[in-house]
């Protein structure tokens, strides 16, 4: 008889180029992980077969039987029907109505949970991360776009119909700035990393004496979301104006979400978060002053995400843990 | 032995001047109702004693014993802790930390549920009203301010902390218009009936040849939220500009909420709703064109509330019905 092993959970982060697979313990500590190529151009059956077999191989390699595994969570890009485990639509991996949970169960005889990847990341930060222990949290990713998720009473809020909780697509201004969604003046059009980079390019082009122009090596194509912050830090007025403008709009979006959800915490993810307190301090200050009823009600704290590169795996595994109430 | 009577529920609508009390059947049809004065200047114990005794009297008058009553719901203004049944704070009736459920139970030996009145109205529209049968709905009241509530999975969403779901306090513009909450450019500052009336006064003053100025009897103090719509209907360019501006901002706020919650329906309440389809048709058109992913995802419908004068009682009674799963 084999030694009695501690139970584990599997997290699967399905991406456009790679599938990250991890085994975690009940405290979401990483035991082992691997990555296999997605090769999403293949029929979905083959992608999922590879996924299932890679999980089994990883479990076996580390001495676990499927009986030791409480379940597997999958974070998928796109729109997911979490009840049926079907990926309704994903532009990223070009899937359309793929019965992911059902297919995967053929190879992996454990309970399988599927959800949108941003939702998983949100839940992950509440089980191990910046919002650990919080029953109510909002996660905003500041990347190419502004995405995110909402956790209410310890579970993912998915909206009344698939496609809900599009936190980046709330209107926060009336300046006529076009958003990728077709509407004008969405939060995403001001607070995404892309928006900041676009603004920084315009600014650097206009002010060739600026530190900003120097930082990008006099090549607008080299501009990134860190440079405005670095320029601001160095006293550059262009950088300071950009950062102030960026934070103002982000603060307004965050205040809207705080007024609607009144969560314990608002967690920020994405590259811009490397700025840490340079970003969160002014946001928290704005929230304390502008959140509705700030003098009598709870004001949520703004923090940066903590799960980093493991966010996808931990988030996916947290689907298992929260569904089964396994947290140690 | 008395004839076996059908079970009933009690709804109590606690207002600043009056307390409306109603007995409804399991389909939320009104069986009997009464109103007593609040006289909120008294100690809360006396107000609640009157409330409890009036409920008992109404039940008795209509041949019901407390055993026939499944429970009583109370909709209170202000911030309510629904778990403990305590009114944390109400400016309207000047209550501060009042243990409403506990006090009322002394007189009324039935299960007692307490929630905020706007939350009750929202839930009420989902059990009997414009969103009947919907598991997910948003209610927006367009009155002095913009308030409302959110129903998710058939129950009231209360936010992570008391004071959540302030749907009127999301920023939708950057015109610098001051909101009552201290922030600028909240939905309430554009879409409340008060905002519309304020805009109409300015417009009428500026254009003394307008139909609008005629409709208010050349007295700005007589202006109400119906007049801009009536002027627009009569072809008045001032009225048309006001209505278009008002609907534009309201449509943007509604689209934000649709993108976040993706509910089945968005129900509008308050005096402005008397405009019916003059209001909802352009809102639905905007939503169909601007809601995120409108071509592939569900687009919520905008409708006007139906419970009218009974909204407070039905909403309060729906706390009982939804908690006990009694709907016929």
């Amino acid at each position: 008889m084999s030694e009695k092993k501690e139970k584990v959970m599997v997290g699967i982060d399905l991406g456009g180029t790679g599938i990250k697979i991890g085994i975690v313990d009940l405290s979401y500590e990483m035991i082992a992980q691997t990555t296999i190529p997605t090769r999403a151009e293949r029929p979905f059956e083959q992608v999922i077969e590879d996924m299932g077999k890679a999980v089994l191989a990883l479990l076996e390699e580390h001495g676990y039987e499927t009986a030791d595994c409480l379940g597997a969570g999958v974070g998928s890009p796109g729109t997911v029907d979490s009840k049926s485990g079907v990926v309704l639509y994903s532009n990223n991996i070009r899937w359309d109505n793929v019965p992911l949970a059902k297919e995967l169960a053929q190879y992996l005889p454990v309970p399988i949970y599927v959800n949108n990847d941003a939702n998983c990341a949100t839940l992950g930060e509440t089980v191990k991360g910046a919002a650990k222990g919080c029953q109510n949290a909002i996660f905003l990713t500041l990347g190419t776009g502004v995405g995110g998720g909402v956790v209410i009473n310890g579970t993912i809020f998915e909206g009344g119909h698939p496609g809900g909780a599009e936190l980046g697509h709330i209107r926060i201004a009336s300046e006529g700035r076009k958003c990728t969604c077709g509407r004008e003046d969405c939060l995403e059009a001001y607070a995404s990393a892309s928006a900041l980079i676009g603004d920084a390019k315009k600014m650097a082009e206009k002010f060739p004496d600026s530190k900003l122009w120097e930082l990008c090596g006099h090549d607008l194509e080299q501009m990134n979301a860190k440079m405005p912050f670095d320029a601001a830090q160095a006293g550059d007025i262009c950088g300071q104006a950009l950062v102030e403008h960026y934070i103002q709009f982000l603060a307004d979006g965050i205040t809207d979400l705080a007024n609607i959800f009144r969560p314990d915490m608002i967690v920020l993810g994405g590259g811009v978060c490397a700025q840490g307190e340079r970003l969160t301090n002014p946001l928290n200050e704005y929230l304390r002053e502008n959140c509705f009823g700030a003098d009598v009600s709870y004001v949520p704290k703004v923090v940066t995400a903590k799960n980093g590169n493991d966010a996808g795996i931990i988030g996916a595994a947290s689907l298992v843990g929260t569904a089964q109430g396994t947290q140690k």
Side-chain angles (χ1 to χ4, degrees), chain A:
Chain A
M1 244 178 75
S2 70
E3 185 191 355
K4 194 172 188 305
K5 297 205 85 155
E6 195 193 346
K7 299 286 183 191
V8 295
M9 306 181 288
V10 167
I12 302 170
D13 180 14
L14 172 57
T17 51
I19 303 173
K20 290 188 191 176
I21 298 168
I23 303 173
V24 302
D25 69 16
L26 300 193
S27 304
Y28 296 97
E29 292 298 329
M30 194 72 71
I31 295 170
Q33 60 176 302
T34 186
T35 302
I36 60 171
T38 308
R39 293 165 52 209
E41 69 286 356
R42 297 176 295 166
F44 68 81
E45 291 89 346
Q46 292 177 23
V47 176
I48 298 171
E49 182 178 347
D50 278 5
M51 183 191 287
K53 289 183 171 169
V55 172
L56 288 177
L58 191 67
L59 284 168
E60 192 178 358
E61 188 187 331
H62 291 269
Y64 294 99
E65 295 169 18
T66 52
D68 302 319
C69 177
L70 293 175
V74 191
S76 166
T79 307
V80 173
D81 182 338
S82 64
K83 287 191 188 68
S84 61
V86 171
V87 178
L88 297 175
Y89 175 74
S90 171
N91 187 47
N92 205 330
I93 45 176
R94 301 186 180 277
W95 277 8
D96 198 351
N97 255 316
V98 170
L100 173 51
K102 197 178 146 202
E103 283 285 324
L104 187 58
Q106 292 182 37
Y107 309 98
L108 198 58
V110 300
I112 290 167
Y113 307 86
V114 185
N115 213 306
N116 165 271
D117 48 9
N119 284 344
C120 290
T122 309
L123 192 62
E125 290 288 334
T126 71
V127 298
K128 183 196 187 203
K132 187 173 174 179
C134 291
Q135 288 292 297
N136 296 282
I138 284 174
F139 186 60
L140 268 191
T141 49
L142 311 169
T144 311
V146 173
V150 180
V151 167
I152 295 175
N153 297 331
T155 59
I156 294 168
F157 167 66
E158 303 190 63
H161 294 266
E166 282 291 348
L167 306 183
H169 298 281
I170 54 174
R171 182 171 183 163
I172 54 158
S174 45
E175 302 192 353
R177 190 182 275 217
K178 201 80 188 163
C179 180
T180 53
C181 76
R183 215 171 149 212
E184 284 177 354
D185 295 312
C186 289
L187 177 59
E188 174 164 307
Y190 294 89
S192 62
S194 311
L196 177 57
I197 293 168
D199 287 347
K201 284 181 179 175
K202 277 184 216 144
M203 187 75 98
E205 194 166 26
K206 207 165 158 190
F207 297 98
D209 292 337
S210 66
K211 180 79 182 171
L212 191 67
W213 177 236
E214 188 192 317
L215 283 175
C216 70
H218 307 160
D219 177 3
L220 292 181
E221 291 314 304
Q222 299 306 312
M223 185 69 77
N224 63 37
K226 185 170 176 286
M227 289 169 185
F229 285 94
D230 288 345
Q233 186 83 343
D236 182 45
I237 198 164
C238 287
Q240 285 166 349
L242 283 167
V243 166
E244 195 175 309
H245 181 264
Y246 178 80
I247 287 180
Q248 175 60 47
F249 284 102
L250 179 56
D252 266 313
I254 285 175
T255 306
D256 289 351
L257 296 171
N259 286 349
I260 290 175
F261 289 103
R262 196 70 55 161
D264 301 318
M265 283 208 191
I266 295 169
V267 183
L268 303 180
V272 180
C273 290
Q275 297 305 321
E277 293 187 346
R278 279 205 268 174
L279 186 67
T280 54
N281 281 350
L283 292 172
N284 278 310
E285 195 179 323
Y286 186 86
L287 210 54
R288 278 194 301 272
E289 282 169 17
N290 292 283
C291 192
F292 187 87
D295 45 343
V296 291
S297 299
Y298 178 83
V299 177
K301 280 177 196 59
V302 184
V303 296
T304 53
K306 274 193 183 166
N307 289 339
N309 290 331
D310 297 338
I313 289 172
I314 292 171
S318 72
L319 296 176
V320 183
T322 54
Q324 302 187 5
T326 58
Q327 180 107 37
K328 267 190 140 175

